[in-house]
Amino acid sequence: MLDRICAGDVPRKHHLQLRGAGGELRHEECFTRDGFDGPYTILYHLRRPHTHRLAPAEHGWRAPEPAGARPLAKRHYESGKLAARGGPQIDARVALLFNDDVIAGVAFPTAEDPVYVADGDADQLIYIHRGGGLVRSVLGDLPFAQGDYVFVPRGLLHRFLPDAAAQHWLWLSLAGGVHVPRQWRNEVGQLRMDAPYSHRDFKRTQFVGPLDEGIRRLVVRRAGAWHGFALADSPLDAVGWDGTVYPWAFPILSFQPRVSSVHLPPTWHGTFAARGALICSFVPRPVDFHPEAIPCPYPHSSTHCDEIIFYCDGNFTSRQGVGAGSISHHPMGMPHGPHPGAYEGSIGTTRTDELAVMADTFAPLSATPAALAIEDAGYQDSFV
Ligand SMILES: [Fe+2]
């Protein structure tokens, strides 16, 4: 959640009457998180926002299921080889790795969502590896582009409208909620001067006012299943809102990396946090500058984290055999590190042009059958 936005018509005090030019009473909706303890947004609708009739759920991505017990091993999934492509993102998402906190997958959507969507289970954080488009919600329109993280809060009615470009998304469904790491905020919630990004770096939803797209269906994900509802009117009927809960986008290249004389741990690349996960951005930067520095990451036994890295672009100094769209999964329980030769070979280098998104999860991840279908079977032994 970011700073407060106020858009359109709102009364001078919350919970007071708001009326249209002809005296029509507007209908308040308090969109709250963590019960009534957390961040919130208050909307004002033309009509009552809670008039949904039951209907079939005709859309929704498939809930992840484990592929079954497998040996503990370092894994590499080539997401670009996924066969399932096309359609709206609500159907096109394919889950690859998951635990109770996180579902990670990819999608290659080619069409607009034909229904409105509300995810009652999790916040959505989508990294746009290729493509762009718009998220349209009851709060307004949010354009996004290649290289953006796109955030959609849990429970918010919205739909995705990808543009004509080829799309390749990494999506993370984060049940515990996405937030800015606490160390990047000061005591009033403002992003600190020494945070790796500022308020100005975020693209925010632009309010457009009541809109009727002719869509009268809504699907809601709850407890992993999709539920359908029919609407009598357009739900995009807000005349105004204020609050801190809204979709936003953050360009990964706006992340300001840190460099030290010796190698800094991934926490310095921490971009977004969630229950059970830390999402890090590795962006082009100078590397460690101590005269005896080894710029390549050291082998490590991160005993409490599974690590997944989505390789976006550039030259991945520590890895061989991975390319754009690759996803590595290094599980807790055994050490991992650079490929043969990468550690020594990095000595004396001054820059890296790698671009990658990493998620450390604090519970083990299971792979889905879809992940197994795009697995590089030789990855574990490639470190020998
Ligand atoms: Fe690692």
Side-chain angles (χ1 to χ4, degrees):
M1 309 316 110
L2 292 172
D3 32 57
R4 171 181 172 267
I5 288 178
C6 184
D9 294 336
V10 300
R12 63 185 170 81
K13 186 171 174 60
H14 56 356
H15 317 320
L16 295 185
Q17 296 172 33
L18 177 68
R19 291 185 182 272
E24 311 87 349
L25 185 64
R26 305 310 192 198
H27 296 271
E28 188 179 77
E29 177 192 0
C30 294
F31 186 76
T32 70
R33 291 168 69 92
D34 305 323
F36 292 90
D37 287 338
Y40 61 90
T41 284
I42 301 179
L43 305 77
Y44 296 86
H45 294 271
L46 294 177
R47 295 172 288 272
R48 295 189 301 147
H50 52 293
T51 56
H52 309 77
R53 292 186 187 279
L54 297 179
E58 292 166 340
H59 296 275
W61 45 270
R62 182 185 285 190
E65 292 175 6
R70 294 199 296 161
L72 184 69
K74 294 185 266 284
R75 307 283 181 179
H76 170 209
Y77 305 106
E78 299 175 271
S79 78
K81 293 186 175 175
L82 198 78
R85 288 164 185 261
Q89 66 85 32
I90 183 60
D91 299 319
R93 292 193 192 199
V94 177
L96 299 175
L97 296 160
F98 69 100
N99 61 26
D100 287 344
D101 300 316
V102 182
I103 307 172
V106 292
F108 302 84
T110 55
E112 298 178 2
D113 286 329
V115 295
Y116 295 112
V117 181
D119 195 312
D121 282 346
D123 285 347
Q124 302 301 306
L125 188 68
I126 300 172
Y127 177 72
I128 309 298
H129 173 52
R130 301 282 184 258
L134 187 77
V135 183
R136 175 160 290 156
S137 77
V138 64
L139 302 176
D141 284 353
L142 173 72
F144 60 85
Q146 182 166 312
D148 284 353
Y149 290 99
V150 179
F151 167 75
V152 180
R154 172 175 168 163
L156 185 71
L157 184 145
H158 71 281
R159 70 186 189 103
F160 275 87
L161 295 81
D163 62 22
Q167 312 281 328
H168 185 168
W169 301 357
L170 168 72
W171 57 270
L172 300 169
S173 179
L174 297 155
V178 176
H179 59 269
V180 168
R182 301 206 193 310
Q183 64 267 31
W184 304 149
R185 293 205 189 258
N186 64 26
E187 72 271 20
V188 299
Q190 187 179 26
L191 295 173
R192 290 172 55 96
M193 292 282 286
D194 57 359
Y197 41 67
S198 81
H199 289 273
R200 298 181 197 176
D201 292 322
F202 287 81
K203 305 174 185 176
R204 292 165 175 76
T205 293
Q206 302 295 310
F207 182 61
V208 292
L211 186 65
D212 187 348
E213 302 185 288
I215 298 171
R216 298 290 186 267
R217 287 297 178 100
L218 167 68
V219 293
V220 176
R221 187 169 72 107
R222 190 72 191 103
W226 291 94
H227 307 268
F229 299 94
L231 311 166
D233 295 292
S234 171
L236 304 185
D237 69 340
V239 299
W241 59 272
D242 77 334
T244 62
V245 184
Y246 48 84
W248 45 253
F250 174 77
I252 192 170
L253 292 177
S254 293
F255 186 85
Q256 302 152 207
R258 282 175 165 78
V259 178
S260 172
S261 55
V262 296
H263 203 77
L264 293 172
T267 40
W268 281 101
H269 304 270
T271 311
F272 302 113
R275 186 191 71 207
L278 178 68
I279 291 89
C280 299
S281 303
F282 294 98
V283 302
R285 61 194 183 279
V287 294
D288 325 326
F289 49 86
H290 189 285
E292 297 170 49
I294 304 171
C296 190
Y298 32 74
H300 51 282
S301 290
S302 184
T303 58
H304 286 64
C305 290
D306 271 23
E307 173 197 287
I308 56 175
I309 298 182
F310 182 89
Y311 300 88
C312 308
D313 282 303
N315 177 34
F316 310 111
T317 45
S318 63
R319 299 274 185 272
Q320 299 161 0
V322 300
S326 284
I327 299 173
S328 63
H329 173 206
H330 292 178
M332 62 183 82
M334 59 182 180
H336 67 250
H339 266 106
Y343 191 64
E344 305 87 326
S346 73
I347 294 171
T349 58
T350 58
R351 280 194 64 81
T352 175
D353 63 350
E354 70 179 3
L355 184 66
V357 173
M358 184 175 87
D360 273 348
T361 71
F362 299 94
L365 291 159
S366 297
T368 65
L372 269 58
I374 55 169
E375 183 170 4
D376 162 16
Y379 187 68
Q380 168 71 28
D381 287 348
S382 68
F383 289 88
V384 179

PDB file of all heavy atoms in Angstrom, residues 127-149:
ATOM      1  N   TYR A 127       5.061  -9.784 -12.772  1.00  0.00           N
ATOM      2  CA  TYR A 127       6.189  -9.138 -13.439  1.00  0.00           C
ATOM      3  C   TYR A 127       5.995  -9.300 -14.950  1.00  0.00           C
ATOM      4  O   TYR A 127       5.868 -10.427 -15.451  1.00  0.00           O
ATOM      5  CB  TYR A 127       7.527  -9.750 -13.002  1.00  0.00           C
ATOM      6  CG  TYR A 127       8.659  -9.116 -13.759  1.00  0.00           C
ATOM      7  CD1 TYR A 127       9.057  -7.810 -13.482  1.00  0.00           C
ATOM      8  CD2 TYR A 127       9.277  -9.777 -14.819  1.00  0.00           C
ATOM      9  CE1 TYR A 127      10.051  -7.192 -14.223  1.00  0.00           C
ATOM     10  CE2 TYR A 127      10.277  -9.157 -15.554  1.00  0.00           C
ATOM     11  CZ  TYR A 127      10.651  -7.862 -15.252  1.00  0.00           C
ATOM     12  OH  TYR A 127      11.622  -7.240 -15.996  1.00  0.00           O
ATOM     13  N   ILE A 128       5.975  -8.172 -15.658  1.00  0.00           N
ATOM     14  CA  ILE A 128       5.712  -8.182 -17.097  1.00  0.00           C
ATOM     15  C   ILE A 128       7.059  -8.337 -17.811  1.00  0.00           C
ATOM     16  O   ILE A 128       7.749  -7.356 -18.092  1.00  0.00           O
ATOM     17  CB  ILE A 128       4.978  -6.890 -17.539  1.00  0.00           C
ATOM     18  CG1 ILE A 128       3.737  -6.628 -16.662  1.00  0.00           C
ATOM     19  CG2 ILE A 128       4.604  -6.984 -19.030  1.00  0.00           C
ATOM     20  CD1 ILE A 128       2.672  -7.709 -16.727  1.00  0.00           C
ATOM     21  N   HIS A 129       7.410  -9.586 -18.071  1.00  0.00           N
ATOM     22  CA  HIS A 129       8.681  -9.880 -18.755  1.00  0.00           C
ATOM     23  C   HIS A 129       8.609  -9.407 -20.203  1.00  0.00           C
ATOM     24  O   HIS A 129       9.570  -8.822 -20.716  1.00  0.00           O
ATOM     25  CB  HIS A 129       8.936 -11.386 -18.668  1.00  0.00           C
ATOM     26  CG  HIS A 129      10.104 -11.873 -19.443  1.00  0.00           C
ATOM     27  ND1 HIS A 129      11.366 -11.324 -19.325  1.00  0.00           N
ATOM     28  CD2 HIS A 129      10.218 -12.877 -20.373  1.00  0.00           C
ATOM     29  CE1 HIS A 129      12.197 -11.971 -20.138  1.00  0.00           C
ATOM     30  NE2 HIS A 129      11.526 -12.897 -20.778  1.00  0.00           N
ATOM     31  N   ARG A 130       7.514  -9.667 -20.845  1.00  0.00           N
ATOM     32  CA  ARG A 130       7.249  -9.164 -22.194  1.00  0.00           C
ATOM     33  C   ARG A 130       5.796  -8.711 -22.235  1.00  0.00           C
ATOM     34  O   ARG A 130       4.928  -9.370 -21.663  1.00  0.00           O
ATOM     35  CB  ARG A 130       7.461 -10.261 -23.242  1.00  0.00           C
ATOM     36  CG  ARG A 130       8.871 -10.851 -23.264  1.00  0.00           C
ATOM     37  CD  ARG A 130       9.881  -9.952 -23.981  1.00  0.00           C
ATOM     38  NE  ARG A 130      11.179 -10.604 -24.056  1.00  0.00           N
ATOM     39  CZ  ARG A 130      12.221 -10.316 -23.263  1.00  0.00           C
ATOM     40  NH1 ARG A 130      12.101  -9.393 -22.306  1.00  0.00           N
ATOM     41  NH2 ARG A 130      13.373 -10.947 -23.408  1.00  0.00           N
ATOM     42  N   GLY A 131       5.532  -7.619 -22.964  1.00  0.00           N
ATOM     43  CA  GLY A 131       4.152  -7.197 -23.160  1.00  0.00           C
ATOM     44  C   GLY A 131       3.829  -5.891 -22.456  1.00  0.00           C
ATOM     45  O   GLY A 131       4.717  -5.108 -22.097  1.00  0.00           O
ATOM     46  N   GLY A 132       2.556  -5.667 -22.250  1.00  0.00           N
ATOM     47  CA  GLY A 132       2.070  -4.449 -21.619  1.00  0.00           C
ATOM     48  C   GLY A 132       0.557  -4.444 -21.701  1.00  0.00           C
ATOM     49  O   GLY A 132      -0.054  -5.401 -22.183  1.00  0.00           O
ATOM     50  N   GLY A 133      -0.052  -3.371 -21.228  1.00  0.00           N
ATOM     51  CA  GLY A 133      -1.506  -3.284 -21.281  1.00  0.00           C
ATOM     52  C   GLY A 133      -2.052  -2.401 -20.183  1.00  0.00           C
ATOM     53  O   GLY A 133      -1.421  -1.406 -19.786  1.00  0.00           O
ATOM     54  N   LEU A 134      -3.208  -2.814 -19.685  1.00  0.00           N
ATOM     55  CA  LEU A 134      -3.974  -1.980 -18.762  1.00  0.00           C
ATOM     56  C   LEU A 134      -4.665  -2.894 -17.754  1.00  0.00           C
ATOM     57  O   LEU A 134      -5.156  -3.952 -18.123  1.00  0.00           O
ATOM     58  CB  LEU A 134      -5.036  -1.236 -19.585  1.00  0.00           C
ATOM     59  CG  LEU A 134      -5.891  -0.173 -18.932  1.00  0.00           C
ATOM     60  CD1 LEU A 134      -5.063   1.114 -18.778  1.00  0.00           C
ATOM     61  CD2 LEU A 134      -7.103   0.131 -19.817  1.00  0.00           C
ATOM     62  N   VAL A 135      -4.680  -2.475 -16.497  1.00  0.00           N
ATOM     63  CA  VAL A 135      -5.570  -3.088 -15.514  1.00  0.00           C
ATOM     64  C   VAL A 135      -6.708  -2.108 -15.279  1.00  0.00           C
ATOM     65  O   VAL A 135      -6.465  -0.968 -14.867  1.00  0.00           O
ATOM     66  CB  VAL A 135      -4.874  -3.349 -14.157  1.00  0.00           C
ATOM     67  CG1 VAL A 135      -5.839  -4.065 -13.212  1.00  0.00           C
ATOM     68  CG2 VAL A 135      -3.620  -4.157 -14.321  1.00  0.00           C
ATOM     69  N   ARG A 136      -7.912  -2.544 -15.573  1.00  0.00           N
ATOM     70  CA  ARG A 136      -9.089  -1.695 -15.337  1.00  0.00           C
ATOM     71  C   ARG A 136      -9.784  -2.188 -14.088  1.00  0.00           C
ATOM     72  O   ARG A 136     -10.113  -3.378 -13.971  1.00  0.00           O
ATOM     73  CB  ARG A 136     -10.031  -1.764 -16.543  1.00  0.00           C
ATOM     74  CG  ARG A 136     -11.343  -1.014 -16.347  1.00  0.00           C
ATOM     75  CD  ARG A 136     -11.982  -0.717 -17.680  1.00  0.00           C
ATOM     76  NE  ARG A 136     -11.211   0.299 -18.396  1.00  0.00           N
ATOM     77  CZ  ARG A 136     -11.228   0.443 -19.724  1.00  0.00           C
ATOM     78  NH1 ARG A 136     -11.959  -0.354 -20.475  1.00  0.00           N
ATOM     79  NH2 ARG A 136     -10.523   1.398 -20.288  1.00  0.00           N
ATOM     80  N   SER A 137      -9.997  -1.309 -13.146  1.00  0.00           N
ATOM     81  CA  SER A 137     -10.675  -1.700 -11.909  1.00  0.00           C
ATOM     82  C   SER A 137     -11.746  -0.679 -11.591  1.00  0.00           C
ATOM     83  O   SER A 137     -11.857   0.362 -12.247  1.00  0.00           O
ATOM     84  CB  SER A 137      -9.672  -1.794 -10.748  1.00  0.00           C
ATOM     85  OG  SER A 137      -9.338  -0.504 -10.273  1.00  0.00           O
ATOM     86  N   VAL A 138     -12.487  -0.981 -10.562  1.00  0.00           N
ATOM     87  CA  VAL A 138     -13.527  -0.055 -10.108  1.00  0.00           C
ATOM     88  C   VAL A 138     -12.896   1.271  -9.646  1.00  0.00           C
ATOM     89  O   VAL A 138     -13.572   2.294  -9.562  1.00  0.00           O
ATOM     90  CB  VAL A 138     -14.367  -0.724  -8.998  1.00  0.00           C
ATOM     91  CG1 VAL A 138     -13.505  -1.016  -7.776  1.00  0.00           C
ATOM     92  CG2 VAL A 138     -15.583   0.102  -8.628  1.00  0.00           C
ATOM     93  N   LEU A 139     -11.584   1.272  -9.421  1.00  0.00           N
ATOM     94  CA  LEU A 139     -10.891   2.489  -8.982  1.00  0.00           C
ATOM     95  C   LEU A 139     -10.326   3.290 -10.148  1.00  0.00           C
ATOM     96  O   LEU A 139      -9.870   4.428  -9.944  1.00  0.00           O
ATOM     97  CB  LEU A 139      -9.748   2.122  -8.026  1.00  0.00           C
ATOM     98  CG  LEU A 139     -10.160   1.338  -6.776  1.00  0.00           C
ATOM     99  CD1 LEU A 139      -8.939   0.946  -5.952  1.00  0.00           C
ATOM    100  CD2 LEU A 139     -11.124   2.162  -5.935  1.00  0.00           C
ATOM    101  N   GLY A 140     -10.307   2.710 -11.359  1.00  0.00           N
ATOM    102  CA  GLY A 140      -9.775   3.432 -12.514  1.00  0.00           C
ATOM    103  C   GLY A 140      -8.894   2.547 -13.363  1.00  0.00           C
ATOM    104  O   GLY A 140      -8.939   1.317 -13.266  1.00  0.00           O
ATOM    105  N   ASP A 141      -8.080   3.168 -14.196  1.00  0.00           N
ATOM    106  CA  ASP A 141      -7.224   2.449 -15.143  1.00  0.00           C
ATOM    107  C   ASP A 141      -5.754   2.585 -14.745  1.00  0.00           C
ATOM    108  O   ASP A 141      -5.284   3.674 -14.421  1.00  0.00           O
ATOM    109  CB  ASP A 141      -7.391   3.016 -16.565  1.00  0.00           C
ATOM    110  CG  ASP A 141      -8.687   2.562 -17.214  1.00  0.00           C
ATOM    111  OD1 ASP A 141      -9.384   1.712 -16.627  1.00  0.00           O
ATOM    112  OD2 ASP A 141      -9.009   3.081 -18.305  1.00  0.00           O
ATOM    113  N   LEU A 142      -5.049   1.467 -14.822  1.00  0.00           N
ATOM    114  CA  LEU A 142      -3.609   1.456 -14.560  1.00  0.00           C
ATOM    115  C   LEU A 142      -2.892   0.905 -15.792  1.00  0.00           C
ATOM    116  O   LEU A 142      -2.957  -0.306 -16.045  1.00  0.00           O
ATOM    117  CB  LEU A 142      -3.287   0.582 -13.347  1.00  0.00           C
ATOM    118  CG  LEU A 142      -1.784   0.375 -13.100  1.00  0.00           C
ATOM    119  CD1 LEU A 142      -1.143   1.653 -12.581  1.00  0.00           C
ATOM    120  CD2 LEU A 142      -1.562  -0.777 -12.110  1.00  0.00           C
ATOM    121  N   PRO A 143      -2.191   1.753 -16.581  1.00  0.00           N
ATOM    122  CA  PRO A 143      -1.400   1.216 -17.689  1.00  0.00           C
ATOM    123  C   PRO A 143      -0.125   0.568 -17.154  1.00  0.00           C
ATOM    124  O   PRO A 143       0.445   1.028 -16.168  1.00  0.00           O
ATOM    125  CB  PRO A 143      -1.051   2.462 -18.520  1.00  0.00           C
ATOM    126  CG  PRO A 143      -1.789   3.602 -17.894  1.00  0.00           C
ATOM    127  CD  PRO A 143      -2.133   3.214 -16.505  1.00  0.00           C
ATOM    128  N   PHE A 144       0.311  -0.507 -17.808  1.00  0.00           N
ATOM    129  CA  PHE A 144       1.583  -1.132 -17.426  1.00  0.00           C
ATOM    130  C   PHE A 144       2.358  -1.491 -18.681  1.00  0.00           C
ATOM    131  O   PHE A 144       1.796  -1.583 -19.775  1.00  0.00           O
ATOM    132  CB  PHE A 144       1.359  -2.352 -16.529  1.00  0.00           C
ATOM    133  CG  PHE A 144       0.545  -3.453 -17.149  1.00  0.00           C
ATOM    134  CD1 PHE A 144       1.129  -4.420 -17.967  1.00  0.00           C
ATOM    135  CD2 PHE A 144      -0.823  -3.543 -16.905  1.00  0.00           C
ATOM    136  CE1 PHE A 144       0.372  -5.436 -18.526  1.00  0.00           C
ATOM    137  CE2 PHE A 144      -1.588  -4.570 -17.471  1.00  0.00           C
ATOM    138  CZ  PHE A 144      -0.984  -5.508 -18.281  1.00  0.00           C
ATOM    139  N   ALA A 145       3.661  -1.661 -18.523  1.00  0.00           N
ATOM    140  CA  ALA A 145       4.557  -1.879 -19.655  1.00  0.00           C
ATOM    141  C   ALA A 145       5.569  -2.963 -19.315  1.00  0.00           C
ATOM    142  O   ALA A 145       5.682  -3.402 -18.157  1.00  0.00           O
ATOM    143  CB  ALA A 145       5.272  -0.572 -20.002  1.00  0.00           C
ATOM    144  N   GLN A 146       6.313  -3.366 -20.306  1.00  0.00           N
ATOM    145  CA  GLN A 146       7.369  -4.365 -20.113  1.00  0.00           C
ATOM    146  C   GLN A 146       8.317  -3.906 -19.022  1.00  0.00           C
ATOM    147  O   GLN A 146       8.734  -2.749 -18.987  1.00  0.00           O
ATOM    148  CB  GLN A 146       8.127  -4.554 -21.426  1.00  0.00           C
ATOM    149  CG  GLN A 146       9.216  -5.611 -21.349  1.00  0.00           C
ATOM    150  CD  GLN A 146       9.699  -5.995 -22.730  1.00  0.00           C
ATOM    151  OE1 GLN A 146       8.904  -6.263 -23.619  1.00  0.00           O
ATOM    152  NE2 GLN A 146      11.015  -6.027 -22.919  1.00  0.00           N
ATOM    153  N   GLY A 147       8.675  -4.819 -18.130  1.00  0.00           N
ATOM    154  CA  GLY A 147       9.579  -4.489 -17.037  1.00  0.00           C
ATOM    155  C   GLY A 147       8.885  -3.965 -15.793  1.00  0.00           C
ATOM    156  O   GLY A 147       9.551  -3.664 -14.810  1.00  0.00           O
ATOM    157  N   ASP A 148       7.560  -3.902 -15.810  1.00  0.00           N
ATOM    158  CA  ASP A 148       6.823  -3.436 -14.626  1.00  0.00           C
ATOM    159  C   ASP A 148       6.434  -4.614 -13.732  1.00  0.00           C
ATOM    160  O   ASP A 148       6.077  -5.687 -14.228  1.00  0.00           O
ATOM    161  CB  ASP A 148       5.517  -2.735 -15.026  1.00  0.00           C
ATOM    162  CG  ASP A 148       5.720  -1.340 -15.567  1.00  0.00           C
ATOM    163  OD1 ASP A 148       6.850  -0.827 -15.527  1.00  0.00           O
ATOM    164  OD2 ASP A 148       4.719  -0.750 -16.040  1.00  0.00           O
ATOM    165  N   TYR A 149       6.492  -4.375 -12.431  1.00  0.00           N
ATOM    166  CA  TYR A 149       5.724  -5.184 -11.488  1.00  0.00           C
ATOM    167  C   TYR A 149       4.336  -4.553 -11.428  1.00  0.00           C
ATOM    168  O   TYR A 149       4.215  -3.325 -11.290  1.00  0.00           O
ATOM    169  CB  TYR A 149       6.298  -5.110 -10.081  1.00  0.00           C
ATOM    170  CG  TYR A 149       7.624  -5.774  -9.822  1.00  0.00           C
ATOM    171  CD1 TYR A 149       8.803  -5.041  -9.808  1.00  0.00           C
ATOM    172  CD2 TYR A 149       7.699  -7.132  -9.520  1.00  0.00           C
ATOM    173  CE1 TYR A 149      10.026  -5.635  -9.512  1.00  0.00           C
ATOM    174  CE2 TYR A 149       8.910  -7.735  -9.214  1.00  0.00           C
ATOM    175  CZ  TYR A 149      10.069  -6.993  -9.210  1.00  0.00           C
ATOM    176  OH  TYR A 149      11.263  -7.581  -8.905  1.00  0.00           O
TER     177      TYR A 149
END
